[in-house]
Amino acid sequence: LGLDEPVVNRLICLFRQPASQEIAEKLRLSPGSDVWFMQRLRLVGDIPFVFEQSWMVTHPFEDLSEADLNRSKYAYVSRKGFTVERSEKEIRAELPSQNVRDMLGINRDEPVLHATSIAFLREDIPFEISEIYYNQQHYRFTLTAARP
């Protein structure tokens, strides 16, 4: 793949649903509160690199749209006047479900990198939980650890 290939977000679904107990706890909501549920693919050219499932608070993001998610979710959040301060991620290798394999175009049992992420606005307010699957055939992470 060339680096000149366009990176595209492709929304698969977006709808409101009641938050499960687990999602509500992580987002500091009451169980059953409305949250956005979305699934997106990130492609480079026509190649799927990332499959993402996210749950996002609906307030103050009631007007979130398909167009916003086909561009940049965080640019939308910024346009609404909020700053994404940080995210906490846990990353592990695992064998994906058939659905994840289908989304990433993986034809056999091979591991993917799976990140669980909680994103926070300023003042430590969680607003989004994501399950992110990276196609290891095309994705590399480079980490640098510095000593104090």
Side-chain angles (χ1 to χ4, degrees), residues 96 98 100-102 104-112 135 137:
Q98 185 63 52
V100 171
R101 285 176 32 198
D102 291 346
L104 291 175
I106 297 171
N107 296 322
R108 60 182 198 271
D109 268 344
E110 56 186 89
V112 295
N135 185 338
Q137 294 174 347

Side-chain angles (χ1 to χ4, degrees), residues 129-142:
I129 297 168
S130 296
E131 298 291 336
I132 308 162
Y133 300 88
Y134 299 92
N135 185 338
Q136 55 84 24
Q137 294 174 347
H138 305 294
Y139 216 97
R140 301 282 185 271
F141 284 96
T142 301

